[in-house]
Amino acid sequence: LANFGLDFDKTDNIAQQYFHVPSNDPRRYYALMQIALQTHSKDGHTKAKQTDLKPILRKWLDKNQTEEVLQLGQDKACFIKHNNNYHPTALYLMEHTVAKRFKKLLSINETWDSEHDISFARATENIGFPLTEKQSEAVKMVINHSISCLTGGAGTGKTTVLKAILDAHESLEYNIYPM
């Protein structure tokens, strides 16, 4: 129930009252570890150190039980401990998969050719006004690389550049899927 968002105290009360789950039951410990990781991740964190989790766990457990939870959860893949950081298993696997994909994309070497020139020209024609030098560089970078990151302050033309990038990729006959 805790995984579906029910407050731990309510979940714990239901488990003990209706299912007679003892306070030292491993299932209770798994739920507490999930709660601790979820609580810590609410601030945008994707990993936690013991010092981040212990205060959360200590709301319900004594010092020895807290240590037991940290070990038990690792043994049962409730979380992944890597470089002294605790990661929710699903999040760790997702981030690891994305990182591997990015690494593969970064290894692809593309070369600029006449098709790129044509797609860039078509994309910039559709905008209706000339791009700045930096905007043109950004469009060309994205056309020529498998992975890119477009950043800029407010009013710098990120949306305009993105439209040109999408037009260029459509011109190169890529399928575009909005996310």
Side-chain angles (χ1 to χ4, degrees), residues 139-152:
V139 173
K140 289 177 181 178
M141 177 195 65
V142 173
I143 293 171
N144 201 40
H145 292 86
S146 299
I147 187 168
S148 304
C149 182
L150 178 64
T151 63

Side-chain angles (χ1 to χ4, degrees), residues 81-98:
K81 186 176 178 187
H82 179 73
N83 293 334
N84 290 323
N85 291 304
Y86 295 81
H87 305 262
T89 302
L91 186 57
Y92 178 83
L93 294 173
M94 179 184 66
E95 285 184 342
H96 187 71
T97 301
V98 169

Side-chain angles (χ1 to χ4, degrees), residues 4-55:
F4 294 110
L6 188 63
D7 174 83
F8 179 77
D9 290 323
K10 291 178 184 173
T11 303
D12 196 34
N13 186 39
I14 291 169
Q16 289 183 17
Q17 184 176 358
Y18 295 102
F19 301 102
H20 310 290
V21 174
S23 62
N24 65 345
D25 190 288
R27 295 171 294 181
R28 183 174 184 265
Y29 287 174
Y30 301 146
L32 279 168
M33 191 62 189
Q34 291 297 325
I35 293 295
L37 286 167
Q38 287 172 5
T39 300
H40 185 67
S41 69
K42 285 182 182 175
D43 293 329
H45 305 291
T46 60
K47 63 183 181 179
K49 297 208 173 291
Q50 269 193 17
T51 54
D52 301 319
L53 299 176
K54 283 182 177 181

Side-chain angles (χ1 to χ4, degrees), residues 42-122:
K42 285 182 182 175
D43 293 329
H45 305 291
T46 60
K47 63 183 181 179
K49 297 208 173 291
Q50 269 193 17
T51 54
D52 301 319
L53 299 176
K54 283 182 177 181
I56 299 167
L57 293 169
R58 292 296 300 270
K59 290 179 187 176
W60 296 279
L61 304 170
D62 65 29
K63 185 177 180 180
N64 291 336
Q65 289 172 314
T66 299
E67 295 300 326
E68 189 177 344
V69 167
L70 292 169
Q71 184 58 46
L72 182 66
Q74 183 177 345
D75 293 344
K76 296 294 183 182
C78 179
F79 58 85
I80 293 175
K81 186 176 178 187
H82 179 73
N83 293 334
N84 290 323
N85 291 304
Y86 295 81
H87 305 262
T89 302
L91 186 57
Y92 178 83
L93 294 173
M94 179 184 66
E95 285 184 342
H96 187 71
T97 301
V98 169
K100 282 174 56 177
R101 178 71 176 140
F102 279 0
K103 185 176 179 181
K104 183 177 181 180
L105 288 171
L106 285 170
S107 71
I108 297 172
N109 292 322
E110 302 232 3
T111 55
W112 192 272
D113 60 23
S114 60
E115 285 184 21
H116 291 92
D117 285 327
I118 294 167
S119 71
F120 177 76
R122 285 184 184 157

